[in-house]
Amino acid sequence: MANDAPPRWDRRMQQRLAHGEAAALGELYDRFASLVHNLAHRVLEDEEAADRVTREVFGYAWENPDAYDPKQGSLRSWIATLAHRQAVHRLREAEARAAADPAGDGAAGDGAAGAAGAAGARAGRTPEDIEERIREASVAARADYIVTSMPAPLRAALELAYFDRRDYRQTAAELGVTEDEARRRLRLGLQLLSTARAPLPEAGPPPGYGRAL
């Protein structure tokens, strides 16, 4: 996708992290922290909990750079997958805590209080309700990722058509393209967006991150 770094950058970043280069971690954070935080917040609906997931994801990338396989996709996609998996893990953890302590009297760990409080407000839900909430949050997070990662021409067409309520003729005029090209961009953008509901891999935490750091 358009916002993925060149594969050479991905491989070089992995090598720098493997060599323990602190500047590489800073560069990785600057490039992807907003992505990670936004995905986590989409799932957890809590700023503090999203901050915690962000720290965990970059901590894991720093300690386990060899877990990234360039043959499986871009570094951006790997980081986004880690963010989603860890956010879902923390959401389930918060829901379980709320179910066990509906009064909210138990102590919450660093970064967990907000998510636990949000879960507590939803206490009493069935496991099926919780899994549906996770599915909805996952689809929303994936849709956000797809929109922000798709090629700029497709994203611009979608934004004009669906956020600014332009028809395809108006979209074509604002983008300076033919009506056929505007329709093509909208069709491709929608095809990409439709994959947000595709089945996702089992959402477990990154290995070794099943507990608070």
Side-chain angles (χ1 to χ4, degrees):
M1 289 184 178
N3 285 353
D4 284 344
R8 184 179 300 174
W9 186 92
D10 289 353
R11 290 193 296 270
R12 179 58 181 155
M13 174 57 68
Q14 182 185 39
Q15 292 168 356
R16 291 171 64 196
L17 291 171
H19 292 152
E21 187 179 329
L25 180 61
E27 187 176 334
L28 187 75
Y29 184 89
D30 289 343
R31 184 180 286 264
F32 296 130
S34 179
L35 167 70
V36 171
H37 188 277
N38 288 342
L39 289 174
H41 195 277
R42 196 48 131 141
V43 173
L44 294 163
E45 299 180 333
D46 181 83
E47 191 75 18
E48 186 179 359
D51 287 344
R52 179 190 188 187
V53 167
T54 301
R55 292 194 301 272
E56 291 175 336
V57 165
F58 287 100
Y60 179 77
W62 172 247
E63 295 173 9
N64 302 273
D66 290 339
Y68 166 59
D69 182 359
K71 296 179 181 178
Q72 299 299 316
S74 69
L75 186 58
R76 176 188 174 90
S77 295
W78 181 65
I79 291 290
T81 298
L82 289 178
H84 172 261
R85 289 168 58 194
Q86 188 68 356
V88 169
H89 168 66
R90 291 304 180 192
L91 178 61
R92 287 196 171 116
E93 184 179 68
E95 294 281 4
R97 186 182 298 110
D101 185 21
D105 296 330
D110 176 42
R122 302 187 295 266
R125 297 193 311 184
T126 66
E128 291 76 15
D129 292 336
I130 294 171
E131 290 305 311
E132 179 60 26
R133 158 76 184 112
I134 289 170
R135 281 193 293 272
E136 290 174 354
S138 296
V139 167
R142 184 168 170 79
D144 283 350
Y145 174 74
I146 290 170
V147 169
T148 58
S149 301
M150 69 174 51
L154 304 189
R155 185 170 65 251
L158 282 179
E159 288 173 348
L160 285 170
Y162 294 97
F163 297 126
D164 296 338
R165 305 290 186 178
R166 305 289 198 272
D167 61 28
Y168 73 90
R169 292 188 178 88
Q170 293 170 322
T171 297
E174 293 209 25
L175 294 177
V177 299
T178 65
E179 293 178 5
D180 285 345
E181 176 62 14
R183 282 194 291 262
R184 186 190 73 84
R185 292 182 186 184
L186 288 170
R187 182 174 65 254
L188 290 175
L190 288 173
Q191 287 174 351
L192 284 174
L193 199 54
S194 70
T195 64
R197 290 193 173 275
L200 292 169
E202 181 63 24
Y209 281 71
R211 57 183 174 81
L213 298 178

